[in-house]
Amino acid sequence: MSREDKKQSKQDAKGADAEANAEECDGDDICEIHDIPIPPDGGWGWVIVMSSFLCNLIVDGIAYTFGVFLPKFVVYFNEGKGTVAWVGSLLAGVYLSCGPIVGALTNKFGCRTTCIMGSVVGMAAFALSTLSESVAMLMVTYGIIGGIGFGLIYLPAIVSVGYYFEKKRALATGIAVCGSGFGTFVFAPLAAMLLEHYDWKGANLILAGIILNCAVFGSLMRPLEAPKKKCKPLLQRMAEDKAAQLERGSLMGSQYFMVQLADGSYEKRLKVPVNVDPGVHSSFDLDELAGAHAAARMPTISEAKSDPVNGDAAQQEKKEDKQMKNAQLKDNLEEDPKESDKLIDEVKSAVALRGSRNSVSNGEASNLKRRSGAYGSKDDVNSLSASKKDLAARPLARKDVLYTGSVTNLPEYQSQKSLASYRQSIVSIPKAVQTGKAGQGKKSGGGCCTCIPEATRKEMSGLMDFSLMKDPVFLFLGVSNVFGMLGFYVPFVYIIDAATTKDIDEETAAFLLSIIGITNTVGRLISGYISDFPAVDSLFVTNVCIAVSGVAVFCVPFCNNYVGFCIASGVFGLFSSAFIALTSIVLVDLLGIAQLTNAFGLLCLLRGVAAIVGPPLAGSVFDMTQSYDVPFWLAGIFLFISSAISFMVPCVRRWVKRKEVALTAKTAGEMKQLKSSEDATRAVQT
């Protein structure tokens, strides 16, 4: 390779680096891509996984083992099982239903603060429940307040894992959510032991102390910080980019330049020297701004032949035009001293760094002035930059933070050229902050909620946007989940009592919940692993699992010995896991990553309402029939209906797509017809 070829290769590599650096930043002097926290995919993230696992263990372990306390509450308050069941159903339903509010709080205060607050609320609720003298008071303390506390713990525990992991998110989330099943396995015999040695009040006090440990686990959920990488000033980036282009082009650089031929190949040709007239294309005098650091003027091409008579007049006219433009620019800069100082500093640094003269057109300078004016003064720009950095670093600013699968399977990830570009594409920042009108947004928007910050209102509206209910696909999925949750909690609440009616010891029967818990853990791992394959339809897997779990629940009344109850409990725990574990994956497959936050919030709300109604309904049926046969048959039928409706979702989705295609074709035909009529009208007029 010759010396000139080596020199040209170095210049091309240097230009490529400049282009790569330019792609990292947008047109503004706020470099948004560097404001997004980078998930470590390990490191402290595994501490977050452990914290989430333990929080899920405590929350779901206590919520799922309410059936152990049910007989004690029935005897103590002398109420029917249908009435007492409202206590446990409120606990499970409220902590699901309050998801949108908890999501807004998490986005405002962070996972750590929200989780600590939830542990304190949950501890206080269980401690106050020991003072209850009626079922109604127990519903308020144990059910509603305890449910709010559990909701404040549960959502941050899930969000924090998605916040710290990207490529390894499926593994990390799978480990974290296994805490739910493991908690059921541990707390079922623990609750039975506590009730044996203490009464239900002493047991609740001990559980209150255990719940307070979630404050320790929540304190480990430290927030991610944006990388401290300073973005280069705008004019410096413009100068470097122009220099790189010129070095690869035909005006500067080596003695050769590259030409692309018609067949797509490149040919190196020798440059031809021409007469130059320095300074023609300069829009303002950089020498005045750069001082002693200014270098020689950049040569620009002028006409090879000029009129000798009018040459001096043309040159004088160009010089006067240049001076007039410089004067106009100075007047504009004098109107805002801060902007003037800012531009001078940036130009000086650019010229000093490059060591050469770079030209900036008057149009580019005006464009910079317009951009600066859009943000206001320098203080406004700094404030806006800080606001965008703060919002980009919040957990729910990422649209995929609730996604429990691997992000490498997402089309949004596969369509991006890099992981950094994907991060920037899935970060959502309020429009009021993007345009620098956050203060105006608080005054004009929000209606009666003007006292709530913009980010909090945005997150609440994003999680509770009921316009999604107009989508037939989500509507069918929501109805399916309502029927599913009507039967889902029935085995957790009543299977122990149903086993004791078949002459099975109460302490031995409590182990049935442990069987559900351990098989549920195994089922979560298996379903998560299977669904991570791109060729696997997560919705189909979920539908099959719901149907099989419905069969298991329906067969509980036919169990006449402990082995039969163990088999039914194991099958239900194994297959019901997919109903919860694959929720976010199914939503993304059907609606896309952009709708995940809204769909997940609405689905949690629907599930919470159904979970509140399901166990009391089954208990009321028992009070009327004095048999658990009908309640379990009813729960199994609800799960069957849920699976049947969910199996119809793909058909509904195809129908919606055909309808959209037909509507698009109809619109295109109408536009074509309108254009033809307009053309005919013009022809008649002419």
Side-chain angles (χ1 to χ4, degrees):
M1 182 180 291
S2 63
R3 183 178 302 176
E4 292 296 334
D5 293 338
K6 292 181 179 178
K7 185 176 180 182
Q8 181 67 26
S9 299
K10 291 181 180 179
Q11 292 172 350
D12 292 341
K14 187 176 180 182
D17 293 339
E19 287 183 343
N21 292 333
E23 288 176 353
E24 290 183 351
C25 303
D26 59 2
D28 304 328
D29 60 347
I30 300 173
C31 192
E32 297 181 3
I33 197 169
H34 299 321
D35 301 339
I36 304 172
I38 301 176
D41 267 326
W44 190 261
W46 296 117
V47 178
I48 300 295
V49 171
M50 181 200 68
S51 302
S52 178
F53 177 88
L54 294 174
C55 287
N56 286 321
L57 184 147
I58 293 174
V59 169
D60 287 336
I62 295 176
Y64 288 159
T65 55
F66 174 77
V68 181
F69 289 84
L70 180 65
K72 302 297 181 181
F73 288 149
V74 170
V75 173
Y76 183 85
F77 293 106
N78 194 23
E79 295 283 356
K81 292 180 181 178
T83 303
V84 177
W86 281 101
V87 178
S89 64
L90 282 170
L91 178 67
V94 169
Y95 101 76
L96 288 174
S97 301
C98 66
I101 299 175
V102 176
L105 293 175
T106 302
N107 207 38
K108 175 63 178 176
F109 301 106
C111 296
R112 173 187 286 173
T113 304
T114 308
C115 187
I116 294 174
M117 185 177 8
S119 64
V120 174
V121 173
M123 180 272 299
F126 273 69
L128 290 174
S129 68
T130 60
L131 304 177
S132 301
E133 297 296 335
S134 64
V135 175
M137 186 175 179
L138 194 64
M139 290 180 189
V140 174
T141 55
Y142 188 102
I144 298 177
I145 302 178
I148 294 174
F150 280 11
L152 291 170
I153 298 172
Y154 171 75
L155 188 62
I158 297 299
V159 168
S160 60
V161 177
Y163 193 46
Y164 263 80
F165 287 88
E166 279 181 335
K167 293 184 178 180
K168 300 179 181 178
R169 183 180 296 177
L171 173 63
T173 307
I175 296 173
V177 298
C178 282
S180 300
F182 196 74
T184 308
F185 173 76
V186 171
F187 273 87
L190 176 63
M193 184 188 68
L194 292 177
L195 289 174
E196 183 180 355
H197 293 82
Y198 311 95
D199 59 359
W200 69 269
K201 294 184 178 181
N204 272 7
L205 283 176
I206 295 174
L207 293 179
I210 294 175
I211 293 170
L212 191 59
N213 284 278
C214 291
V216 179
F217 307 141
S219 64
L220 299 175
M221 300 176 186
R222 65 186 185 191
L224 286 175
E225 295 181 357
K228 298 179 180 179
K229 185 174 181 180
K230 186 178 180 181
C231 185
K232 295 180 181 180
L234 175 63
L235 290 183
Q236 179 180 341
R237 284 186 274 122
M238 292 169 58
E240 291 177 354
D241 184 59
K242 282 184 174 294
Q245 294 177 2
L246 290 171
E247 287 175 357
R248 296 195 307 274
S250 59
L251 297 181
M252 293 181 62
S254 67
Q255 299 177 359
Y256 301 92
F257 67 97
M258 304 300 296
V259 176
Q260 186 176 9
L261 303 179
D263 58 355
S265 61
Y266 289 88
E267 180 181 346
K268 184 167 64 174
R269 296 182 181 179
L270 185 66
K271 295 180 181 178
V272 179
V274 295
N275 292 333
V276 296
D277 183 16
V280 174
H281 294 285
S282 299
S283 58
F284 57 92
D285 197 348
L286 292 178
D287 292 338
E288 297 180 5
L289 300 178
H293 296 286
R297 292 183 179 273
M298 184 186 72
T300 57
I301 299 176
S302 61
E303 296 181 1
K305 296 181 180 181
S306 59
D307 190 354
V309 178
N310 299 328
D312 295 339
Q315 184 176 3
Q316 182 66 22
E317 182 180 355
K318 293 177 181 177
K319 184 176 181 181
E320 293 177 357
D321 182 62
K322 173 185 172 183
Q323 293 176 353
M324 181 180 66
K325 292 180 179 179
N326 290 338
Q328 291 177 352
L329 178 64
K330 291 179 182 179
D331 292 338
N332 293 334
L333 294 177
E334 287 175 359
E335 294 177 0
D336 193 344
K338 294 182 179 180
E339 291 297 319
S340 176
D341 296 339
K342 178 181 176 182
L343 289 175
I344 291 174
D345 292 340
E346 289 185 348
V347 173
K348 283 185 177 181
S349 63
V351 176
L353 181 65
R354 297 300 300 174
S356 62
R357 177 72 176 272
N358 293 290
S359 172
V360 181
S361 67
N362 186 55
E364 292 167 342
S366 302
N367 189 28
L368 175 63
K369 179 66 181 177
R370 288 195 300 271
R371 287 177 177 173
S372 302
Y375 291 118
S377 64
K378 184 177 181 180
D379 294 336
D380 294 335
V381 173
N382 293 334
S383 176
L384 177 60
S385 177
S387 299
K388 295 180 75 174
K389 289 180 180 179
D390 177 62
L391 292 176
R394 293 181 177 180
L396 292 179
R398 293 182 60 121
K399 299 176 184 177
D400 68 339
V401 74
L402 295 172
Y403 184 68
T404 57
S406 177
V407 297
T408 56
N409 295 331
L410 294 174
E412 289 79 7
Y413 175 85
Q414 297 170 356
S415 63
Q416 297 294 332
K417 59 184 179 181
S418 66
L419 194 58
S421 301
Y422 166 74
R423 291 192 196 104
Q424 193 175 27
S425 67
I426 50 90
V427 170
S428 175
I429 297 177
K431 293 182 179 179
V433 179
Q434 291 180 3
T435 57
K437 299 179 181 180
Q440 297 178 7
K442 292 180 182 179
K443 294 180 181 179
S444 59
C448 60
C449 300
T450 55
C451 59
I452 302 177
E454 170 69 19
T456 306
R457 281 190 284 117
K458 175 184 178 295
E459 196 55 47
M460 290 183 65
S461 62
L463 287 166
M464 299 182 68
D465 185 5
F466 290 95
S467 61
L468 191 61
M469 297 293 291
K470 299 178 182 178
D471 188 345
V473 175
F474 180 78
L475 186 61
F476 269 72
L477 192 65
V479 174
S480 170
N481 276 260
V482 168
F483 279 101
M485 293 306 288
L486 286 174
F488 179 78
Y489 279 100
V490 171
F492 290 101
V493 176
Y494 296 112
I495 195 168
I496 295 177
D497 210 26
T500 56
T501 60
K502 300 294 181 68
D503 299 328
I504 297 175
D505 181 66
E506 187 173 343
E507 185 176 351
T508 306
F511 190 71
L512 294 174
L513 285 181
S514 297
I515 295 175
I516 294 177
I518 198 65
T519 54
N520 187 272
T521 301
V522 176
R524 286 174 184 263
L525 293 175
I526 295 175
S527 61
Y529 176 77
I530 293 176
S531 64
D532 209 30
F533 290 98
V536 175
D537 187 353
S538 299
L539 179 62
F540 180 79
V541 174
T542 303
N543 297 340
V544 172
C545 290
I546 294 174
V548 176
S549 62
V551 172
V553 174
F554 194 86
C555 292
V556 168
F558 301 106
C559 299
N560 296 318
N561 52 46
Y562 186 67
V563 176
F565 276 99
C566 289
I567 295 174
S569 300
V571 173
F572 172 76
L574 181 65
F575 286 92
S576 64
S577 58
F579 182 45
I580 305 298
L582 301 184
T583 300
S584 62
I585 299 177
V586 170
L587 289 175
V588 171
D589 290 344
L590 295 177
L591 304 173
I593 195 70
Q595 298 287 349
L596 175 60
T597 304
N598 185 16
F600 192 87
L602 288 178
L603 205 61
C604 283
L605 184 62
L606 295 174
R607 284 180 172 182
V609 173
I612 292 174
V613 176
L617 178 62
S620 300
V621 174
F622 172 82
D623 292 337
M624 291 186 296
T625 61
Q626 292 300 310
S627 173
Y628 279 111
D629 293 349
V630 178
F632 276 93
W633 287 338
L634 191 61
I637 292 174
F638 283 148
L639 291 170
F640 280 140
I641 296 174
S642 173
S643 177
I645 296 175
S646 191
F647 269 116
M648 297 170 61
V649 170
C651 299
V652 175
R653 189 184 184 191
R654 288 193 293 268
W655 174 77
V656 170
K657 286 186 176 180
R658 287 197 299 266
K659 187 177 179 181
E660 290 177 353
V661 171
L663 182 62
T664 304
K666 182 179 179 181
T667 304
E670 291 177 352
M671 293 295 295
K672 186 177 181 180
Q673 184 178 2
L674 180 62
K675 184 178 180 181
S676 300
S677 62
E678 290 178 353
D679 293 340
T681 304
R682 292 195 193 98
V684 171
Q685 292 177 353
T686 56

